[in-house]
Amino acid sequence: MLYEKISPAHAMATPWRRRRLCTLVVGHESSTVALRSVSGSGAQIDTTIVPATGMVVELQHPDAGAIKGRVSAIDADGIRIDFDGGEAAVAFALNAIIADMTA
């Protein structure tokens, strides 16, 4: 099948979205990152900077705005940021998904 031939590192975030470039703010530093997935509970981003687990960071999306979250996991390609799951987090996620689907 086609799905097996596409490398996960180069695949789209979902079949309907592309990976949007965002900005990750860690303390007083910022870096460009790729948004792999997003939901009201958090986001997975591809990044070369690796903040410590538990650190509070800010994810800035060019259309959805900005949201603060806590780094909860680190993997080979990036990090997982957990949001509080409240209305603002759900709104951020929905706006990011809609923006990426229509861009």
Side-chain angles (χ1 to χ4, degrees):
M1 276 213 239
L2 177 63
Y3 301 116
E4 296 170 4
K5 294 181 182 177
I6 296 175
S7 166
H10 298 100
M12 293 185 299
T14 72
W16 305 278
R17 288 184 53 237
R18 60 189 169 88
R19 290 184 191 199
R20 174 68 75 153
L21 291 181
C22 297
T23 301
L24 181 67
V25 179
V26 180
H28 297 291
E29 297 182 34
S30 62
S31 177
T32 301
V33 298
L35 182 62
R36 189 184 316 165
S37 64
V38 64
S39 71
S41 64
Q44 184 75 28
I45 60 171
D46 295 333
T47 180
T48 56
I49 64 168
V50 183
T53 303
M55 186 171 216
V56 174
V57 298
E58 182 176 78
L59 181 61
Q60 299 172 346
H61 187 280
D63 297 310
I67 188 167
K68 291 191 181 209
R70 190 171 302 277
V71 177
S72 62
I74 300 169
D75 65 25
D77 297 326
I79 62 173
R80 166 87 184 163
I81 302 170
D82 285 346
F83 306 144
D84 65 10
E87 290 178 9
V90 173
F92 176 86
L94 288 174
N95 284 324
I97 292 166
I98 289 167
D100 294 352
M101 289 174 63
T102 58

